[in-house]
């Protein structure tokens, strides 16, 4: 199950992963042990932003970028959410395809016309059909993303040259 992780600012105990973080290591898959580390790092980053900049932010921790982005919006403001790898498939199933980064309104309309309004319905479509309808790049992306797979790497970005207030 997707877990709402609430850690008090500056908390140094072993709660970096909430209930999830308190499981015995022997019973937790290695990929999920890495999520524990991610929980701790995200909490430290959020604490630093709050302390140094004075703003609150949410965090999402998952085994890839696209899932982390999706779960980061679940518990706002000032909280973080972890998605254990074994829960990704069920988490995605009811989601509207429009919430997936990279699926714009045109693609969503076309998917709906093809009978795939949710990620679960999209998962039912054959890879060949998606490639036929959307081309190799987008069709392959859609086939993978509805299964919780994303090969896009996290890349370090440079600091912005300017910051605006809207």
């Amino acid at each position: 199950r997707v877990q709402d992780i609430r850690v008090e600012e500056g908390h140094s105990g072993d709660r970096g992963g909430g209930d999830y973080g308190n499981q015995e290591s022997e019973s937790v898959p290695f990929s999920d042990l890495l999520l524990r580390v991610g929980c701790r790092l995200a909490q430290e980053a959020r604490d630093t932003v709050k302390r140094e900049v004075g703003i609150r932010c949410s965090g999402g921790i998952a085994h890839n970028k696209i899932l982390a982005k999706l779960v980061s919006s679940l518990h706002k403001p000032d909280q973080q959410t972890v998605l254990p790898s074994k829960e990704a498939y069920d988490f995605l199933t009811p989601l509207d395809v429009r919430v997936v980064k990279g699926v714009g309104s045109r693609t969503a309309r076309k998917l709906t016309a093809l009978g795939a309004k949710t990620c679960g319905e999209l998962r039912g479509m054959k890879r060949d059909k998606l490639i036929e309808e959307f081309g190799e790049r987008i069709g392959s992306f859609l086939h993978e993303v509805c299964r919780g797979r994303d090969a896009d790497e996290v890349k370090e970005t440079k600091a912005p040259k300017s910051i605006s207030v809207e």
Side-chain angles (χ1 to χ4, degrees):
R1 81 189 189 281
V2 177
Q3 297 182 19
D4 178 6
I5 304 300
R6 294 184 177 127
V7 180
E8 295 176 24
E9 181 181 353
H11 183 70
S12 59
D14 191 27
R15 286 190 54 226
D19 292 337
Y20 176 71
N22 289 328
Q23 295 175 0
E24 291 297 319
S25 335
E26 296 85 65
S27 65
V28 180
F30 181 71
S31 61
D32 289 345
L33 289 174
L34 293 175
L35 292 179
R36 284 187 187 180
V37 174
C39 288
R40 176 64 65 201
L41 293 173
Q43 184 62 49
E44 288 174 8
R46 291 175 51 251
D47 288 347
T48 300
V49 168
K50 189 173 184 179
R51 183 178 57 255
E52 293 183 12
V53 183
I55 59 173
R56 300 179 301 166
C57 55
S58 299
I61 300 94
H63 66 276
N64 66 46
K65 213 162 79 165
I66 207 152
L67 291 173
K69 179 148 180 62
L70 285 170
V71 298
S72 72
S73 64
L74 292 179
H75 300 105
K76 290 188 171 198
D78 202 27
Q79 296 171 31
Q80 64 188 48
T81 308
V82 64
L83 179 64
S85 55
K86 67 181 179 180
E87 305 298 330
Y89 191 89
D90 291 337
F91 168 74
L92 286 167
T93 299
L95 293 183
D96 192 302
V97 294
R98 293 176 297 175
V99 302
V100 176
K101 185 179 187 313
V103 176
S105 59
R106 246 172 75 191
T107 302
R109 278 195 304 274
K110 193 169 182 179
L111 285 169
T112 299
L114 293 168
K117 186 173 175 149
T118 67
C119 288
E121 293 166 342
L122 175 58
R123 203 179 294 133
M125 295 183 73
K126 300 254 185 241
R127 179 185 208 99
D128 293 343
K129 177 67 173 171
L130 291 169
I131 290 171
E132 177 186 316
E133 294 290 335
F134 298 97
E136 177 69 36
R137 187 177 63 82
I138 295 173
S140 294
F141 167 77
L142 292 170
H143 184 265
E144 295 300 305
V145 76
C146 70
R147 288 164 173 76
R149 298 189 292 245
D150 176 30
D152 197 16
E153 294 181 15
V154 175
K155 297 176 184 139
E156 187 175 341
T157 57
K158 295 180 180 176
K161 293 181 180 181
S162 63
I163 298 174
S164 65
V165 177
E166 297 180 24

